[in-house]
Amino acid sequence: LSLISLLTIISANVDRITLQYFVGAEEVGIYYLPYTVARPFTMIPAAIVVVIFPILAKKISENKWVASNNLSNQSVKYISLFILPFIILEFVFSDEILIILFGADAIASTNVLKFLLLGFYILAIRDPYRLQIISSGKLKYLIVITGIALLSNIILNVLLIPSEYNGIPGAN
C-alpha cells in the first residue's frame, strides 16, 4: 500500500516537474493556478471512500462480490450526484471564476482548469473501484495499474509538452 501511495504522489507531481524542465516557471504557474480551484472536488470522493471502506472490506471478506460491486457502483452515483453539478458550473463559468479569484491574468489558465475538472471527475469515480481492489487484497494489480499510469503520464508529458510549446496543442 505504501508503494501505491508513493507512485500516486509521484504521478501527481510529475506534470509540474516536466513543465518546469521543458518550459519554465511561468507555465507551471499557469498549470497549477487552476489546480487550487479544482482540487476541492477530491474531498467528497475521499469522504465517501472513507465511509464505504469497512463495508466494502466486509462484503469482500464474505465473498459477496455482487454486493461489493453494487456498493462501488452506488458510490460512483453519489459522487457524481454531489460533484458533477459543481464541476459543470465551474466548467461553464471557468473564465469568470478565475478572474474573480485571481484577476484578469488568470484567464490564461482557463483551458487547464477545464482539463483538470474533467480529470478530477474521472479520478473521483475511479476511487470506489480502486478501493474495491485494495479491499480484495489484490495490491499487486493496483501496483501494476498505478505504475503503468505513472509511466504513461511521464511518456505523454515528454512527448506532448515540448510539442505544445512548438505550436502543436497537446500538453494541457
Side-chain angles (χ1 to χ4, degrees):
L1 201 51
S2 297
L3 182 57
I4 295 167
S5 297
L6 177 65
L7 291 173
T8 302
I9 290 168
I10 292 169
S11 186
N13 291 295
V14 75
D15 296 335
R16 180 177 30 198
I17 294 165
T18 312
L19 273 171
Q20 178 70 39
Y21 178 78
F22 283 113
V23 293
E26 184 176 336
E27 282 74 15
V28 173
I30 289 170
Y31 180 77
Y32 272 89
L33 180 75
Y35 189 84
T36 61
V37 177
R39 181 85 172 140
F41 290 114
T42 62
M43 305 288 185
I44 291 172
I48 290 174
V49 164
V50 167
V51 170
I52 70 164
F53 181 69
I55 301 165
L56 196 57
K58 185 174 191 269
K59 290 188 184 306
I60 289 173
S61 71
E62 296 170 348
N63 288 323
K64 296 181 179 177
W65 294 101
V66 173
S68 70
N69 286 338
N70 289 340
L71 181 60
S72 293
N73 292 337
Q74 191 174 22
S75 298
V76 167
K77 288 177 188 174
Y78 284 121
I79 289 168
S80 296
L81 178 70
F82 286 120
I83 69 170
L84 203 51
F86 295 107
I87 287 177
I88 291 169
L89 282 172
E90 194 167 323
F91 191 90
V92 171
F93 297 108
S94 56
D95 290 341
E96 293 81 0
I97 291 169
L98 287 172
I99 290 170
I100 289 169
L101 292 175
F102 304 107
D105 290 342
I107 202 92
S109 297
T110 300
N111 288 335
V112 176
L113 177 58
K114 290 178 179 181
F115 278 104
L116 285 173
L117 290 169
L118 177 63
F120 280 144
Y121 177 69
I122 291 168
L123 292 176
I125 61 174
R126 172 213 64 184
D127 283 348
Y129 302 111
R130 184 178 175 165
L131 187 63
Q132 197 172 15
I133 295 171
I134 292 170
S135 297
S136 68
K138 310 258 188 223
L139 295 179
K140 288 181 184 178
Y141 293 120
L142 196 54
I143 290 170
V144 170
I145 291 167
T146 306
I148 289 170
L150 172 61
L151 186 60
S152 299
N153 191 9
I154 292 169
I155 291 169
L156 288 172
N157 281 346
V158 168
L159 292 174
L160 296 177
I161 289 174
S163 298
E164 171 75 15
Y165 293 96
N166 289 322
I168 303 168
N172 291 338

